Each structure stands twice: as structure tokens, then as C-alpha cells.
Amino acid sequence: PAAQIGEFRDGGVVFWVDASGQHGLVCDIQDLGMVEWGCEGTSILGADGTAIGSGQQNTIDILVGCSTVGIAADLCANSTAQGYNDWFLPGKDALYELYDKQNEINFSLLINGGSGFNEYYWSSSEYDANDAWKQYFLSGAQFNSYKSNISITHVRAIRVF
């Protein structure tokens, strides 16, 4: 059967499904914390993909170009949530999908021991050497923010199924 938005499977909750209905993206059931994007002042080669599907490569590129431990991409790449070890930081468009589908997936997050969404989340999409894209979950707005901003910016990992 085709995967359904809001279904709990493969370690997370489905929030995007491709045309085949057999593959897509799940989000972790909870946040990994509030940390910086990392390496403000440094342009990360290749970490500027925004389309759905770009987050995995962006995360790899961030980790190659920024060796700071504990940044958003590092938390995702090193997560073993629900027994999976292939989590990554979502790209800008995938993060918007999470925002757009939050009402459909929140119940599944909660009944599976997770938590709903907070206000701001990092994407893996770099804007420039000083800024990266983030998502505001109350209005859907996407904007660039200093990579060092940690006060209100959360991290939620995703993975491919």
C-alpha cells in the first residue's frame, strides 16, 4: 500500500510521499535541541540546495565544510533515533512541507511519544556565508538568519524511506 501523510513508519512520521507512493520522507518524532547552524562567516560549498531531496547532500556538505561539533547538521547526522542512523537536516523546501503538513502529522508525533513543532527550525540550505534558511512554523514564513543564532531555533531531523 502507498504511504500516507501522518503515518508512523520507518522511525518517524511521513510528511512527504513521491509519485510512486512507496518512497518519501519521515520526520523524527522529537526535536534534537536548539543549536547553531554552524560556521558563520564561512561559505559551505554545495550546501545551497533547496529542493526536496537536497537535504541529505546539504548535510554531508555542511559536515565536510564545517568541523564544529554539535551544530544542527552534526546532531542530525549522528542521531540514532528509533534505531535509524541515516537522519539529516531537511532542506528549505522539505522544511516547508513539514510546516505545511504539521496539522496532519502532529497527532501521530504525540501518540508515538514525540512532540509537536516549536516556532523556528533550521534548514540545511545555506543562504550565504553568514546566514542559513529557517522556517517559522506559526506563519509559514521562510527567511535567512545568522548561522550562530541559537536562542529560538530548533532542529528536527528527517530521513528517506
Side-chain angles (χ1 to χ4, degrees):
Q4 301 295 315
I5 303 297
E7 176 184 5
F8 181 77
R9 62 174 285 172
D10 298 295
V13 178
V14 176
F15 70 94
W16 182 81
V17 180
D18 72 5
S20 75
Q22 304 304 309
H23 304 284
L25 298 169
V26 297
C27 68
D28 193 354
I29 60 173
Q30 57 195 0
D31 292 345
L32 295 175
M34 289 190 305
V35 297
E36 66 179 290
W37 194 90
C39 291
E40 187 173 322
T42 301
S43 187
I44 306 296
L45 183 65
D48 57 354
T50 59
I52 290 177
S54 64
Q56 197 166 26
Q57 186 61 51
N58 284 350
T59 300
I60 292 166
D61 293 337
I62 293 165
L63 296 175
V64 167
C66 180
S67 60
T68 305
V69 175
I71 60 173
D74 183 53
L75 290 184
C76 293
N78 287 300
S79 176
T80 56
Q82 291 73 248
Y84 291 87
N85 64 2
D86 57 352
W87 298 97
F88 55 92
L89 190 60
K92 181 177 178 264
D93 293 352
L95 196 56
Y96 184 83
E97 277 296 307
L98 268 177
Y99 156 76
D100 192 49
K101 300 295 189 291
Q102 67 181 316
N103 292 334
E104 297 163 74
I105 67 176
N106 270 339
F107 181 71
S108 189
L109 291 170
L110 296 174
I111 65 168
N112 287 288
S115 60
F117 292 97
N118 288 290
E119 292 181 52
Y120 296 95
Y121 285 85
W122 283 123
S123 81
S124 62
S125 305
E126 183 179 60
Y127 180 80
D128 62 22
N130 294 311
D131 294 348
W133 285 103
K134 69 167 56 167
Q135 177 73 51
Y136 185 48
F137 268 67
L138 298 182
S139 71
Q142 292 185 309
F143 55 93
N144 55 301
S145 179
Y146 289 121
K147 294 176 181 179
S148 62
N149 184 347
I150 63 170
S151 62
I152 55 172
T153 310
H154 297 264
V155 176
R156 180 79 59 130
I158 68 171
R159 64 181 301 277
V160 174
F161 69 89

